[in-house]
Amino acid sequence: MLKKVFGSAVFGVDATTITVEVNVDKGIGYHLVGLPDNAIKESNYRIAAALQNNGFKIPGKKLIINMSPADLRKEGSAYDMTLAVGILAASNQIQAEDLEKYIIMGELSLDGSLQPIKGALPIAIKAKEEGFEGFILPNQNAKEAAIVDGLKVYGVDNIEQVINFFDKNELLEETIVNTREEFYKNLDFPEFDFSDVKGQESIKRCMEIAAAGGHNVILIGPPGAGKTMLAKRLPSIMPPMTLHEALETTKIHSVVGRVKSSGLLSQRPFRSPHHTISNVALVGGGSYPQPGEISLSHNGVLFLDELPEFKREVLEVMRQPLEDREVTISRAKFTVTYPSSFMLVASMNPSPSGYFNDPDAPVTSSPAEMQRYLSKVSGPLLDRIDIHIEVTPVPFEKLSSEHKAESSVDIRKRVTAARDIQTKRFENLENIHYNAQMSVKQIREYCALDEDSKTLLKTAMERLNLSARAYDRILKVSRTIADLENSETITGTHLTEAIQYRSLDRDGWLG
């Protein structure tokens, strides 16, 4: 007897429906075809134990199971329940007339209980698109899948519940999530707040500008100056995520199984990988491609602490995703694309000793050592970072001050107002939402300068020995500063402030 059961495979951040055909015939044997990986091939042992411990068995006949489309590689243990239900239905151990209405996924333990799966959200989205009535999956993933409206989601704890649902018409409890309500309920303020930072007013201003325009930023300063503390608080002043951004971000985290039981992610991601990270872990890839740190940072912040300590080749593979805001991974038989629109925040010491330019500390590194240290970060990568800012240690008087600093809530209001201006400005342009994304064409259109401002910029570039790559970056940052002041034109004041944020382009840093 032939039965068809439906599961799903995730490639990139999208799912593909998999038809599992189970045929029971005369003879003896268990044949699983359709490019399954080892985890799926081993499923027959888990299935046999789970069925036996729940009063069923794998029939002593010839079983041929095909996972269609047969030329598409399938991986993971999430097909256990799909295969088990198909085997029971095909061998007439249960009556299951409505199998074609459901996507069924779940990893089986030997006692028949279910373990969580990866990619529940993209699978649910695909199931709705293809007209399935419901999605049966482990309870731990139910809220995540129930984010999708118009699809019945049933979270179960063991295979016995699934068997009784199909064979005895016992009802399963549907998981219902009000997506908007859940999103706004969980839109709590981040735990880190700028009010905790003593002093550093100029650096806070710099971070406000970076958040307002979506600009990448690098912080240069000695150990203990507060670079990491400032970086961790950047998401708290970025505009709150929209529902669309939350769904997009949750989808990526779902693929790697990092969605919490609450379902929808409502906080902007903050990822801080160690400097020993590999190319694949940062950008994504592998034999079975998975999103890397840059995609897990999508719509949030990627913080690279001690930037020169990262392997140069690791940093170089990040250049194209920074520009394109997506990463494409190609294999012989397929290509996957992961979104990677994030704000890069990097930090570094100004020298190997960490105390270059600190008047209170002795210089322990030679000019050659400093140049070698700084040159670990390539010019093309720095070209993609709009703001360079020097961070100096906070004096004791400010550290011990009882004065309450400005909170993230107040800063975020100004940042959100500036982003609203940019959203309106770029509403007719595709894939451009804030100033950092402007191309040369948009810079010429929206960052026009009068003659006095042109003269000021020319003089600054000549006197400070700024490189040519600084020109467009200064204009972008100037446009953001003007937006924060709700100014339609870029003035000399805006330009002057933006010029200050190009430390590494000045003569004496990287030459």
Side-chain angles (χ1 to χ4, degrees), residues 232-248:
K232 283 184 176 180
R233 282 154 179 77
L234 181 58
S236 71
I237 63 172
M238 294 173 69
M241 279 213 288
T242 63
L243 184 57
H244 174 74
E245 287 177 328
L247 286 166
E248 203 175 38

Side-chain angles (χ1 to χ4, degrees), residues 439-448 471-472 475:
S439 65
V440 174
K441 180 180 178 182
Q442 279 91 46
I443 291 173
R444 300 293 176 264
E445 182 177 351
Y446 299 114
C447 303
Y471 180 77
D472 286 348
L475 289 179

Side-chain angles (χ1 to χ4, degrees), residues 137-152:
L137 77 168
N139 229 342
Q140 299 96 315
N141 303 111
K143 277 195 172 182
E144 177 187 337
I147 291 170
V148 179
D149 294 329
L151 179 74
K152 293 180 180 179

Side-chain angles (χ1 to χ4, degrees), residues 74-339:
K74 292 88 182 174
E75 62 169 334
S77 54
Y79 298 97
D80 288 1
M81 191 160 68
T82 322
L83 296 169
V85 171
I87 290 169
L88 291 174
S91 60
N92 286 323
Q93 295 183 69
I94 65 171
Q95 299 300 314
E97 302 301 327
D98 297 329
L99 284 177
E100 73 282 354
K101 296 180 180 179
Y102 299 92
I103 294 287
I104 304 172
M105 297 291 285
E107 177 188 335
L108 285 170
S109 295
L110 299 187
D111 62 355
S113 59
L114 293 173
Q115 301 299 318
I117 64 172
K118 297 177 181 178
L121 181 55
I123 291 172
I125 292 171
K126 188 66 175 179
K128 181 191 175 183
E129 287 176 0
E130 298 202 346
F132 285 93
E133 183 178 308
F135 182 14
I136 300 172
L137 77 168
N139 229 342
Q140 299 96 315
N141 303 111
K143 277 195 172 182
E144 177 187 337
I147 291 170
V148 179
D149 294 329
L151 179 74
K152 293 180 180 179
V153 174
Y154 300 105
V156 293
D157 294 312
N158 54 65
I159 193 171
E160 184 180 8
Q161 291 174 268
V162 182
I163 292 170
N164 292 339
F165 174 71
F166 285 111
D167 192 41
K168 300 179 181 178
N169 294 320
E170 290 188 8
L171 296 178
L172 291 174
E173 185 178 351
E174 183 181 350
T175 303
I176 299 174
V177 172
N178 185 321
T179 306
R180 292 186 179 277
E181 183 181 312
E182 193 77 15
F183 172 67
Y184 291 113
K185 182 180 73 175
N186 293 325
L187 203 61
D188 298 325
F189 210 74
E191 59 177 311
F192 299 113
D193 195 286
F194 267 98
S195 62
D196 302 328
V197 182
K198 301 286 187 180
Q200 303 289 25
E201 301 306 324
S202 62
I203 316 302
K204 292 178 188 176
R205 166 68 175 173
C206 169
M207 300 298 269
E208 179 180 337
I209 293 167
H215 301 288
N216 299 324
V217 60
I218 184 167
L219 306 170
I220 313 109
K227 303 185 294 294
T228 302
M229 187 179 189
L230 288 159
K232 283 184 176 180
R233 282 154 179 77
L234 181 58
S236 71
I237 63 172
M238 294 173 69
M241 279 213 288
T242 63
L243 184 57
H244 174 74
E245 287 177 328
L247 286 166
E248 203 175 38
T249 306
T250 304
K251 196 174 177 183
I252 299 168
H253 285 249
S254 172
V255 171
V256 293
R258 298 196 181 192
V259 177
K260 296 179 181 178
S261 58
S262 57
L264 196 63
L265 295 176
S266 55
Q267 297 296 326
R268 292 191 180 275
F270 180 87
R271 308 289 300 179
S272 180
H274 193 260
H275 64 258
T276 56
I277 192 171
S278 67
N279 314 30
V280 171
L282 183 66
V283 178
S287 302
Y288 303 112
Q290 291 281 295
E293 290 290 335
I294 63 172
S295 295
L296 294 172
S297 306
H298 183 61
N299 291 321
V301 174
L302 177 67
F303 177 49
L304 301 183
D305 198 8
E306 302 299 341
L307 189 67
E309 301 300 327
F310 284 79
K311 295 176 185 175
R312 190 180 179 101
E313 62 267 22
V314 171
L315 296 178
E316 293 306 297
V317 297
M318 194 170 60
R319 281 161 47 182
Q320 186 178 356
L322 272 172
E323 199 74 27
D324 298 341
R325 300 190 179 272
E326 65 178 21
V327 56
T328 300
I329 298 165
S330 298
R331 295 292 178 264
K333 292 188 176 181
F334 60 89
T335 299
V336 296
T337 299
Y338 298 111

